[in-house]
Amino acid sequence: MTHVAGTAYETFRPGHAGYHESVLKEAAIATAVLFDVDGTLVDSNYLHVHAWQRAFRELGRDVDSWRVHRAIGKGSGKLLADLLGKDDAEELGDRLEDLHSRFYLETAGMLRPFDQAAALIRVIAGHGVRVLLATSAGPDELDVMRKILDVDDVVTAVVAGEDVEATKPDPEPVFAALERAGTEPGNTIFVGDSVWDVHAAAKAGVRTVAVLSGGVSAAELTEAGAVATYDDPAALLDALDHSPLAELFT
């Protein structure tokens, strides 16, 4: 696993005053799997690309599709700064985010869960593992995806973009999910589809199992630090008993 160290992340680490000691005590027996949603459980990444492109074009900015795709998985603020530069992102950010959300929700009828995504979550939960969703999605987008997945009855908690100040690839969403799960990093695995998922998890000391359904290659995900890669949720479910997730099962 690739670890990314740096003082910018020191204050978020377990053991810091902000990380509840009661969580660490309970974590001795608790295990959890943290799932990204977009591109991991729901086939939405390319709808996001299209929505961002429409938003950029609406405000007179042209950004190549492949550049947008490579930024998917970051929080909106980081995505815009990466694609447009800091000045444009600050000037146009709120309008672009509103336009993106509007255009994305217009395509909500095209959203669907990946094959066996819901079954994967239910099987993992059935093994006594806590399942959490950790996503940068806004409230409206998340509501749509939760309805599509229909697994709220077995999901322990959800950490969304509005719950944290810093989004992926910052580790804050992962630490927030660890607190809600009541687990230590070593007893937790993140399942995601982007290098930004892997980086965020690694900075929090959490291993990542990656899926290729978001459109990122196995080579890139492995180089970023993923401990294993699978084509999609169905492939992970098929190999579940022999995957890194199996060590979490009771």
Side-chain angles (χ1 to χ4, degrees):
M1 176 176 66
T2 300
H3 293 275
V4 182
T7 57
Y9 301 102
E10 292 295 328
T11 57
F12 292 110
R13 290 181 178 171
H16 183 266
Y19 196 94
H20 303 314
E21 292 302 322
S22 61
V23 169
L24 297 181
K25 290 177 182 178
E26 184 185 3
I29 57 172
T31 59
V33 177
L34 316 178
F35 278 95
D36 174 60
V37 181
D38 282 304
T40 300
L41 298 173
V42 177
D43 191 2
S44 58
N45 279 7
Y46 295 97
L47 297 181
H48 277 297
V49 172
H50 181 63
W52 280 121
Q53 278 203 305
R54 288 185 64 189
F56 292 140
R57 179 64 62 88
E58 186 88 1
L59 297 188
R61 302 293 189 275
D62 287 323
V63 181
D64 295 339
S65 298
W66 71 271
R67 294 187 185 278
V68 179
H69 179 259
R70 291 190 66 81
I72 295 296
K74 291 184 175 183
S76 296
K78 291 183 173 67
L79 177 147
L80 292 173
D82 185 30
L83 296 175
L84 298 179
K86 183 178 178 180
D87 291 343
D88 261 5
E90 289 181 353
E91 178 185 352
L92 304 174
D94 289 344
R95 294 167 64 193
L96 285 168
E97 288 184 27
D98 288 345
L99 285 168
H100 162 265
S101 183
R102 188 181 95 201
F103 294 145
Y104 175 76
L105 291 173
E106 286 178 3
T107 66
M110 298 176 66
L111 290 168
R112 66 176 186 85
F114 286 113
D115 183 36
Q116 299 298 307
L120 174 63
I121 290 174
R122 292 187 179 280
V123 169
I124 292 171
H127 280 284
V129 177
R130 299 173 186 182
V131 176
L132 287 85
L133 306 182
T135 175
S136 298
D140 292 342
E141 297 171 17
L142 181 57
D143 284 348
V144 171
M145 291 189 290
R146 288 173 71 173
K147 289 177 182 176
I148 289 171
L149 285 169
D150 192 25
V151 291
D152 278 2
D153 57 307
V154 295
V155 169
T156 298
V158 178
V159 174
E162 64 178 356
D163 299 318
V164 294
E165 293 184 6
T167 55
K168 293 179 287 188
D170 189 279
E172 186 176 349
V174 183
F175 281 115
L178 285 169
E179 285 206 61
R180 295 192 183 183
T183 55
E184 291 180 337
N187 292 341
T188 306
I189 291 177
F190 194 101
V191 179
D193 68 294
S194 73
V195 295
W196 317 120
D197 292 326
V198 183
H199 290 326
K203 291 167 186 173
V206 174
R207 293 166 293 164
T208 299
V209 168
V211 289
L212 311 186
S213 44
V216 180
S217 72
E220 284 186 277
L221 292 164
T222 300
E223 183 177 357
V227 297
T229 62
Y230 300 86
D231 282 352
D232 51 27
L236 177 54
L237 177 60
D238 186 57
L240 191 61
D241 289 342
H242 305 287
S243 76
L245 277 68
E247 70 185 60
L248 304 178
F249 299 163
T250 56

